Amino acid sequence: RLFVDSVLRSDRSVSDLLTADYTFLNERLAMLYGIENVKGSHFRQVSLADSARHGLLGKGAILMMTAYPNRTSPVLRGSFILEYIVGAPPATPPPGLDAFPEAEIGTAKARTVRDIMAKHRANPTCFACHGVMDPLGFALENFDATGHWRTRNEANSPIDASGAVPYGTTFDGVVGLRQVIVNQPDRFVPTLTEKLLTYALGRGVDY
């Protein structure tokens, strides 16, 4: 909230919400970010040397909100990006779909979320949305369920955070995805404007 407030009240470019190289941290949150020189409980502005943390997509609050308590969710994260960043919310899933197959501890060989979702996307009905949504979410897979940076996933395999957007542009990880989005301001800026107007009016902006 302090970060968003700082961009709006300083009359900065709205693209800074995606690219700004600073945030607001106290000691506990700085530990999550891997920053060791922040002490005390009060929040203060801190520069971010790690470009993966720049902007909203690197913020712990966003990353934890779009994950489950026990694991990451490329679906939730991809859906968040589609709806709140690029203004193309996915369709409501059809009724009767099976839930994500959670493995029971000690009874099955660990599989990566990417492997499981690949099988899910093999269904043409599912692919229509997940073919767009999942690659965006996988770009954030280096962040675990609480937003802590990692290089290996739940199956102890190296994380593959590469992907592509529907029109073919490829990216690698959150830094690459962010650049793809920033290069298309006609998607993010109208989306932000609509969300702000919806908040101000207390209703949607449909006719």
Side-chain angles (χ1 to χ4, degrees):
R1 292 170 66 181
L2 289 169
F3 169 69
V4 173
D5 184 78
S6 73
V7 173
L8 297 181
R9 293 186 185 277
S10 300
D11 198 26
R12 300 168 67 103
S13 167
V14 295
S15 65
D16 284 1
L17 289 170
L18 297 176
T19 62
D21 60 354
Y22 70 91
T23 192
F24 291 81
L25 303 175
N26 64 5
E27 184 172 358
R28 291 183 66 186
L29 188 55
M31 290 173 63
L32 178 75
Y33 281 45
I35 298 174
E36 299 179 350
N37 60 347
V38 176
K39 304 299 180 183
S41 61
H42 67 284
F43 283 83
R44 80 295 308 261
Q45 184 171 324
V46 177
S47 297
L48 297 169
D50 182 3
S51 59
R53 290 288 181 186
H54 291 180
L56 290 173
L57 295 182
K59 297 290 174 284
I62 299 292
L63 296 163
M64 189 169 71
M65 181 184 69
T66 55
Y68 293 114
N70 62 328
R71 64 167 173 83
T72 60
S73 173
V75 175
L76 292 180
R77 288 176 174 176
S79 177
F80 175 87
I81 292 169
L82 285 175
E83 180 168 359
Y84 294 101
I85 302 295
V86 300
T92 302
L97 292 180
D98 293 331
F100 189 103
E102 301 283 1
E104 295 184 16
I105 297 176
T107 61
K109 181 180 178 181
R111 292 188 296 163
T112 67
V113 175
R114 183 179 280 271
D115 289 341
I116 297 173
M117 294 306 299
K119 183 178 180 180
H120 187 65
R121 289 194 304 275
N123 183 330
T125 303
C126 301
F127 183 81
C129 288
H130 285 274
V132 177
M133 186 163 47
D134 294 358
L136 304 178
F138 282 123
L140 308 182
E141 269 293 280
N142 281 113
F143 297 109
D144 69 12
T146 61
H148 190 272
W149 183 262
R150 61 182 184 168
T151 57
R152 306 184 76 84
N153 55 32
E154 292 88 348
N156 199 32
S157 302
I159 289 174
D160 178 7
S162 62
V165 291
Y167 45 86
T169 303
T170 60
F171 55 81
D172 188 11
V174 62
V175 175
L177 174 61
R178 184 191 303 115
Q179 192 58 54
V180 170
I181 297 171
V182 169
N183 287 343
Q184 291 191 309
D186 57 321
R187 304 295 296 272
F188 174 63
V189 175
T191 301
L192 175 68
T193 304
E194 180 176 329
K195 297 299 181 184
L196 287 172
L197 185 58
T198 298
Y199 177 76
L201 295 174
R203 62 172 176 81
V205 295
D206 297 331
Y207 287 108

